[in-house]
Structures are given as C-alpha cells and as structure tokens.
Amino acid sequence: MNTALVARSMQIMWRWSHGWGTKTCLLDCETRLETEMDQNRRWGNALPYLLVLLLLLLFLPRASVQAGIPVEFAGKRNLQTYPFQSGFSINTTDWTERSAPIIADIDGDGENELLAGNWRGRIYAWTAAGTLKPGFPISASGPIVGHLALADLDGNGDLEIVAGVGDYDNGDNGHVYVWRPNGNVFPGWPRTVARYGNDRQCKIATVALGDLDGDGDLEIVAGTNNNNFGPDFAPYVPNLYAWHHDGTTVAGQWPVEDSDDAAILGNLAVGDLDGDGQNDVIVARDYHRVFAYDGQGNDLAGWPRYTFVPEDGIWNVDPRIAHRFSAPTLADLSGDGALEYIVAGYRRPAGSTTIYNNDLLVLRSNGTRLSGWEQPAGGNGALSNSYLMQQASVVADLDGDGQLGTIVPTLDGWIRAYRVDQTLLWQFNYAQGKLIYASEPVIGDIDGDDHYEIVFGVYDPKFGDTQPVGVWILEHDGVPKASIPLPVAESGVLAAPTLGDLDGDGDLEIAAVTPRGWVYVWDVPAPYTPELMPWPMARHDLRRTARYIELKPSLERSTKTVRPAAAEQGQVFFFTVEIVRTGVALTSTVRLTDIIPSGLTYVPGSLVATSGAPDAAQAPTLRWTGLLSDVTRVTLTYATQVTTPSTVARTNAATIDNGRGTILVHRATVILNGYKMYLPLISRNF
C-alpha cells in the first residue's frame, strides 16, 4: 500500500562499468511531482528504482506516499469517501435493532472476525473477506436486541460470545446464552430470566461482563424489560441478573428488582464506582430514577437517586428526567481518582409523560451532582414524543487539554461536547431540521492526524426514506468531514459503528449495520492505532462495560527526518526528531540520545527543542531530557556539516527511552557527495 510516487531527493544507488573496473555511484535525483491536493506535503525516501518511478509517473499520477492514502485524502481536513472492504457490503435481510457490530479474534487464530446479532436471533461471524465462519450463523430461540459481549470466560485463550435472547410470544421467558467461538453452547447455559404478566414480549436489552466478587473470573450481568404496570408493587419482579461464568447465580441479592417495578430498556455499566476495589453495576430504569449496586446486588450508599431537573426536586412539582433508553457511562471526569456516573435522559413536566427537552447529568459516586452540574446540561427541545432514541454518552479528551470531555447525541437532533465544568466545547446539528436520530458515538483517530474524530450513525426512526442517513464523521472540534454522512441503504444506522482493524493490515476499518440487515465495512486509508482509540465501539469495549479506561502512553509514532536528503562537502543540512506521545500523559522522564556519525560535524548552537532540556555539551553525542505529561509532541532540530570528501551514505540514529523500560530507535539516512544525474522532464496531459 505504500507506493511511493512523489519523491524529494530520491536516492538511487547503482553500479556501472567504466574502463578497467567497476565503480559504485550514489545519485541524488531532485525529482518531484506535485498536484493541487498535496502542495504542502513534503515527501522523502521514494522508490529505489528509476524504471518504477518512470512507470508510475506515466500511469499512476495520482498515487500518494502517505501509507496508502490517495492524494485526494493526503493532508486534508475533509475526507471525501472510503472504499468498501473487499467482500462487503452484505445484506442478511434480518432486522437489527441496537445490537452493534463487534470486531475481534474470537478463536485465537490471529485473524479478526466481524460479529453481529439481530432480531431473528441470529449471530453472524464473518471473516475479513466477508465469508461466514464455520458454525455460523448461530440461531437462538428469540430476538437479540442488545449488544453482544465477548470475553475469555474459561481462560483457554478463545473469546466466548454472550447475548441476551428475548422471546417472540407475550409472557414467555427470555434467556441469556453463552457460546463458544465454534458456535457450541457453553456449559451451564442458557439461563432463564423472568417475565411478569402476559401482555408483553420479554426483551433483554443489555449484557455486560465484569469481575463482581474479586476472584479473577468474570461474571455476566443482564438487564431485562420485566416490569409491572399494575398498582400493586408487592410482586417480585426481578430484571437485573448476575451469574458466574458457569451459570450459577452470584451470591447476595441477585437477581434484583426495583421497588417501583420499572423496566430496564437501556444499557448498564460495570466499574468500581465507590472506590472500594470491587466492581459495581450501574443502570437506569424506565422512569426518573438511576441505580448503583455493589457486587452482591446491594444498593450503594446514596443510591438509588430520583432525577429531577433541580437536584433536590419535589415530587409532582418539579420537572423530572426520565430514563427509558438511558445508557450510563463511568469515567473519572474530575481527575480526582474517583469515577463519575454520566447519564442522559428526557425532560418531562411533573405529572406528565410529554417530553419537552433532554438533559445530561454527571453524578458523584455518592449520587450527588458534580460541581458545575447542579443543573443538568439541557438541549433544544425534542424532535418527537412518538419516536424516541437512546441518548448514549461517551467520553474522550477531544482538545488535548488532559481532561476528559463528554459527548452525547440527543433527542433534539444535536450532538454536543462538554468540558468537565459543563462548558460547551461545540455542538453539531446532525438532524438538519428533519426527524433523524443518532446512534451512540465511537471515537478514534481515523485519519492519522493525531486528533480524535467522532463517528456515529444517523437513521430515520420511522424506518422510511428520510435523508441524509448513514455514518457521520466529525473532527475533534465538531466540524464534519466533507461528503459525510457515508451513505447506506434505506433507513440509516441505528446501532453504534465499530472501529477496528478487521483484515489485520494495520489500517482502520469502520463497520456498521442497518436496521434492515445491511452490513457495511469501509476500508479507511489511515493507520489503526489502539492508543488513539479512546472509545472504539459500543459501550467502550468487548465486555460492554461503558467504563472509560485511560489509554496507555506510547511514543511509537515518533519520527526522525533529514533535510535535504543529500549534501556535498562543506554543506549544512538539518535533522529533525519529532517525539510524539499518544495515549494518556507520560509522567516519567523521557531521554533521547543522538550520536552524529563520522563524516559529519555538529554545528555549534544549533540543537534546539520546543520543550525540555537539549544538551550538546558532549557533541557529537547530543542529548535531550523532558516530560510529555503536558504536551503531546516535542520537536528537536539540529544542524550538521559535511566534512568528508568521500561518496558515502550515512545513517543517523536517535534512541528514545520512555523512562518505563521501552527503547525506540528512529533513523534517517543522508547521501554525502553523491553523483548527480539529471533526468529529462516527462509530461503528459491527463
């Protein structure tokens, strides 16, 4: 994919016979082709063979050297479109609700699969080529409306598949299933969940995995729509379950019910909310109340909480925030080491079911509101009371200030990003004045610019032909990319997209499914960097915990370059080292060592750095020390002069020590006193 067409200072080594012997020549060919789309790009280290260069000039004039990115995309803020991954799109013809696709290597063979569940109770698993894996699709006994969850439950290296399976007939029970990656049912499963009354189908809206009892094994948690509309709340109506991986019920209060017998129609989260070292279960139910349970199913201190617009609202007086499809998120927004409980809901007047706005809440571990969030972050009304959407919040550090922000699409047709103090970073009107809703967003660097993009589906809630629908992509500052949304068939994308490297080629793919069963995979011409994927899939991770975890710091994207790539005796040229941090702040001291090779001499006073402490006192050994806790990039430059008359190639290496035991070496090669060959200019009217 890294075809090099455009070259500056192309270096060619060749051998030729002359007279009595053979001589080695180094050629510096100053050849460059620029188009309108890459005027500001500088390229180096192009094709090693002149013939290939000439052929590419003639026949592939619009290729690019940037890791396979076409010239139309290279260095541009707005990408135009992406090709489909070979073998996709696929039409399953099966109805799909909020069950998002998931990319993972389920059988440990080193190759990823794409999984998706649907209303017909089928779970598909495709290879990167779009072919079904043996044993798939799996057929279950009822509808799958929630996300699949994946984890190695038995420690054998494979990933088991967990799904909530409802029932098509009113009053019948639903089940939670676990399958092995070959499609066989895992021992101890399925488990049955209750359905009170005979007037509704059983639906299992959410499953998630986490270690609830601290024994190192994962438990399976599921929430259902079991409820009781009658005036008598005495019957036991459980709708939140927790099992060990062998199917036995976790000790304690499980399964638990709500004293008002309200259903769970949204998603749950799993994480250590109260800071006691044990995971808790977080959920909202279908009215104005949010819940937090410990690993045994007991209410955490301060929970549950009624959610009025004012924090201490009065029943039947103050407007309330209801949580029909709410999807709570856990993250340390305040940076104090404790998790916050982030949840969006619909605003209703006291004593009324009318929705007239939407609200975002941020709660402390004890249920009180975080400073700055005493009043919720409200929206601009509601597009509809008849059709509702899930308002799923996600978190990431969008502006690189070291603090997490919250991103949430809402029922008013907008998606917004907030700082920790509720300051609005930006907002974008995805509905454009139409009845169009949005999926849960996912977040990652999808164009290789070291900034996060926000990716989410938009859809027609009437499942008609309202346009535009598809997949939106916003820059980190909320500006949409051109020719977005990515178009899809029919009604749009209801479930969250997924970011991953499906085919293992190092580049990114975006996967999405539509309600009517289309499965799309776009092949994105940018590197897949896990350290730059803070929220890559629905509910954050394969276990669907919705618990934000800080990305590990990495310096893998650091580079070293030289300009010009060739010089003669007496000439000066410049080396540049870019130390680039991805992930969270790196608190250890970073050290760089750069030894200038023979044939070159350091130009005194030329070593400079944008931060940190450069040291040239022991030249030709140059050093730098500094921190990358508050910055993501440090640029070092220095000059050298050619002192040798010989024709030779010299490689200069910079060694970077991250202070945590990882050593990286980056190199740049320069041609000294090379022979010159001037090529004829070949042009063609394209």
Side-chain angles (χ1 to χ4, degrees), residues 336-626:
D336 63 355
L339 295 180
E340 277 78 43
Y341 185 130
I342 308 158
V343 63
Y346 312 128
R347 185 184 299 185
R348 290 173 169 168
S352 172
T353 59
T354 300
I355 297 170
Y356 70 97
N357 208 342
N358 47 84
D359 291 294
L360 179 67
L361 293 167
V362 179
L363 309 175
R364 297 187 182 93
S365 60
N366 62 3
T368 60
R369 296 185 185 179
L370 187 67
S371 177
W373 294 84
E374 291 81 6
Q375 289 291 316
N380 296 324
L383 293 178
S384 174
N385 265 252
S386 300
Y387 300 91
L388 303 182
M389 62 172 272
Q390 184 176 73
Q391 303 179 126
S393 59
V394 300
V395 296
D397 179 7
L398 292 183
D399 57 3
D401 67 351
Q403 291 188 322
L404 294 175
T406 302
I407 304 93
V408 60
T410 48
L411 192 67
D412 57 359
W414 292 76
I415 182 171
R416 298 177 177 87
Y418 297 94
R419 296 185 187 274
V420 65
D421 62 358
Q422 206 187 105
T423 301
L424 184 66
L425 272 173
W426 51 258
Q427 58 183 343
F428 174 70
N429 182 3
Y430 67 80
Q432 305 293 305
K434 302 177 182 179
L435 182 55
I436 291 176
Y437 287 154
S439 75
E440 175 184 341
V442 295
I443 299 179
D445 178 12
I446 72 163
D447 55 12
D449 66 351
D450 295 336
H451 293 292
Y452 299 144
E453 281 73 44
I454 300 92
V455 184
F456 59 98
V458 288
Y459 65 97
D460 176 0
K462 296 182 179 180
F463 304 110
D465 58 1
T466 301
Q467 297 292 329
V469 295
V471 176
W472 277 102
I473 303 175
L474 307 181
E475 298 281 3
H476 68 284
D477 55 4
V479 176
K481 290 186 176 293
S483 298
I484 296 297
L486 298 173
V488 300
E490 298 169 325
S491 305
V493 175
L494 170 61
T498 295
L499 308 178
D501 182 8
L502 177 59
D503 55 8
D505 66 351
D507 286 349
L508 176 69
E509 280 79 46
I510 301 174
V513 297
T514 73
R516 288 189 167 90
W518 282 95
V519 181
Y520 293 90
V521 179
W522 290 275
D523 191 3
V524 180
Y528 171 69
T529 307
E531 294 83 8
L532 292 174
M533 300 288 160
W535 201 281
M537 66 189 76
R539 311 305 289 156
H540 181 269
D541 49 63
L542 298 179
R543 299 177 182 180
R544 309 301 195 185
T545 64
R547 158 72 166 97
Y548 176 81
I549 298 174
E550 289 188 342
L551 300 173
K552 295 180 179 179
S554 171
L555 303 180
E556 294 287 344
R557 298 186 72 166
S558 302
T559 61
K560 179 165 187 172
T561 57
V562 61
R563 178 178 56 86
E568 298 180 357
Q569 187 176 11
Q571 289 185 333
V572 173
F573 55 94
F574 300 87
F575 286 99
T576 300
V577 180
E578 293 271 7
I579 306 177
V580 179
R581 170 179 62 82
T582 59
V584 299
L586 183 59
T587 56
S588 57
T589 299
V590 179
R591 292 177 170 81
L592 176 143
T593 303
D594 191 324
I595 301 176
I596 298 173
S598 62
L600 308 174
T601 186
Y602 170 68
V603 176
S606 64
L607 177 62
V608 294
T610 54
S611 67
D615 179 7
Q618 300 181 26
T621 299
L622 307 180
R623 292 184 170 85
W624 173 89
T625 58

Side-chain angles (χ1 to χ4, degrees), residues 14-308:
W14 69 314
R15 299 183 67 88
W16 61 284
S17 295
H18 184 271
W20 296 274
T22 301
K23 184 175 182 180
T24 299
C25 296
L26 294 168
L27 306 182
D28 174 29
C29 302
E30 287 286 322
T31 304
R32 186 173 185 182
L33 174 67
E34 291 186 340
T35 72
E36 293 180 0
M37 304 300 290
D38 69 347
Q39 289 287 335
N40 296 321
R41 304 294 287 181
R42 295 184 180 272
W43 308 99
N45 298 327
L47 289 176
Y49 301 104
L50 176 60
L51 178 60
V52 176
L53 173 65
L54 295 174
L55 289 173
L56 289 173
L57 284 170
L58 289 171
F59 300 110
L60 295 174
R62 294 190 64 79
S64 165
V65 303
Q66 187 187 359
I69 301 179
V71 170
E72 288 87 350
F73 301 155
K76 297 300 173 183
R77 178 174 174 80
N78 292 322
L79 306 189
Q80 299 298 315
T81 187
Y82 303 120
F84 287 129
Q85 173 81 6
S86 178
F88 295 88
S89 58
I90 295 171
N91 187 6
T92 67
T93 72
D94 293 338
W95 187 266
T96 302
E97 289 201 6
R98 291 186 178 85
S99 186
I102 192 166
I103 295 174
D105 178 9
I106 59 174
D107 53 8
D109 65 353
E111 296 183 357
N112 283 331
E113 290 79 36
L114 174 66
L115 281 73
N118 58 53
W119 178 264
R120 292 184 64 181
R122 293 178 177 174
I123 297 175
Y124 291 88
W126 293 279
T127 68
T131 59
L132 280 171
K133 285 189 69 68
F136 290 85
I138 297 170
S139 293
S141 58
I144 298 172
V145 299
H147 306 306
L148 307 177
L150 304 179
D152 181 9
L153 297 180
D154 57 3
N156 69 348
D158 294 338
L159 298 180
E160 278 68 49
I161 305 164
V162 181
V165 179
D167 199 274
Y168 300 113
D169 297 323
N170 291 344
D172 286 352
N173 297 335
H175 301 84
V176 173
Y177 277 82
V178 179
W179 293 275
R180 294 192 183 277
N182 61 4
N184 294 332
V185 176
F186 195 75
W189 300 86
R191 306 304 299 173
T192 301
V193 300
R195 174 68 246 178
Y196 180 79
N198 298 313
D199 58 343
R200 280 172 174 76
Q201 298 172 342
C202 178
K203 291 184 180 181
I204 302 174
T206 177
V207 296
L209 312 176
D211 182 7
L212 299 185
D213 55 10
D215 65 354
D217 291 333
L218 292 175
E219 278 69 52
I220 297 169
V221 187
T224 81
N225 69 336
N226 198 20
N227 62 354
N228 171 20
F229 283 107
D232 180 11
F233 294 142
Y236 176 53
V237 185
N239 55 21
L240 186 61
Y241 294 77
W243 299 277
H244 296 291
H245 74 274
D246 62 2
T248 58
T249 301
V250 176
Q253 305 299 318
W254 305 106
V256 296
E257 67 166 349
D258 164 34
S259 59
D260 290 331
D261 292 345
I264 297 172
L265 304 177
N267 291 111
L268 57 87
V270 177
D272 183 11
L273 179 62
D274 60 0
D276 67 350
Q278 302 289 330
N279 281 324
D280 307 305
V281 178
I282 312 304
V283 73
R285 286 185 167 90
D286 183 20
Y287 70 129
H288 57 295
R289 206 175 185 198
V290 290
F291 300 79
Y293 301 94
D294 67 15
Q296 290 74 49
N298 302 301
D299 292 325
L300 292 184
W303 302 89
R305 303 286 294 193
Y306 285 103
T307 53
F308 297 94

